[in-house]
Amino acid sequence: MTRSEFDDIRAFLADKGTSAGDLLRIARTLIDDLEDARLREATLRSHYLRLLTAARASVAAEMVGDPEPLTFVRHELAERGQLPQDDEAVHRILADARTAAALLAAMEEPEPSRSRGLRLRRCVGSGRPLPRQ
């Protein structure tokens, strides 16, 4: 549900003319949306757990000298149709991974502190003065 949909619902609920039947309809819709969101979350958690398990198994296989340590990851990716199919896909995936890593690194950097001093205000535009209140 988008932010504007939440705002619309809040406005509808705040309206004095909203009937009890309308409120019940909204409540049912929101419960349906919540159930859908929980199902999507459970599915995503399941996919994440499978990928995490495959990644850990691949690292463990590499540590014991397995000749094909990526078998587990390859299997998971193949099940989802996510294996790279050609050279172009390989280069695109590597570029996406580098970009994602750079974005994550930038997000983890602390924000520079802003000056708490006086803030100068300037009016840009025509030379007429602003009315005083």
Side-chain angles (χ1 to χ4, degrees):
M1 188 173 287
T2 65
R3 182 73 180 164
S4 64
E5 288 173 317
F6 279 114
D7 292 340
D8 291 345
I9 290 170
R10 282 191 185 97
F12 189 73
L13 293 175
D15 184 6
K16 299 292 184 198
T18 303
S19 69
D22 290 336
L23 294 174
L24 184 59
R25 184 176 47 82
I26 288 174
R28 286 183 177 141
T29 301
L30 291 174
I31 288 173
D32 290 343
D33 288 351
L34 182 60
E35 286 176 353
D36 290 343
R38 288 179 58 95
L39 180 61
R40 282 192 308 271
E41 179 189 9
T43 302
L44 287 173
R45 284 178 183 262
S46 171
H47 292 320
Y48 172 77
L49 182 58
R50 289 176 64 138
L51 283 170
L52 181 63
T53 301
R56 293 183 74 217
S58 291
V59 169
E62 181 187 46
M63 291 174 78
V64 296
D66 189 300
E68 291 288 329
L70 293 178
T71 300
F72 304 102
V73 171
R74 276 193 190 99
H75 173 76
E76 278 302 310
L77 294 176
E79 272 193 12
R80 310 264 177 267
Q82 295 295 317
L83 282 174
Q85 299 299 321
D86 55 25
D87 195 44
E88 180 184 336
V90 168
H91 292 294
R92 187 183 71 248
I93 290 167
L94 291 173
D96 289 347
R98 287 184 197 102
T99 302
L103 287 172
L104 287 173
M107 287 175 56
E108 291 174 357
E109 290 178 7
E111 282 190 40
S113 61
R114 294 182 179 169
S115 174
R116 299 284 184 212
L118 292 175
R119 183 175 173 196
L120 299 176
R121 296 179 186 210
R122 292 184 285 166
C123 292
V124 178
S126 63
R128 68 175 186 245
L130 296 173
R132 301 226 182 242
Q133 294 185 13

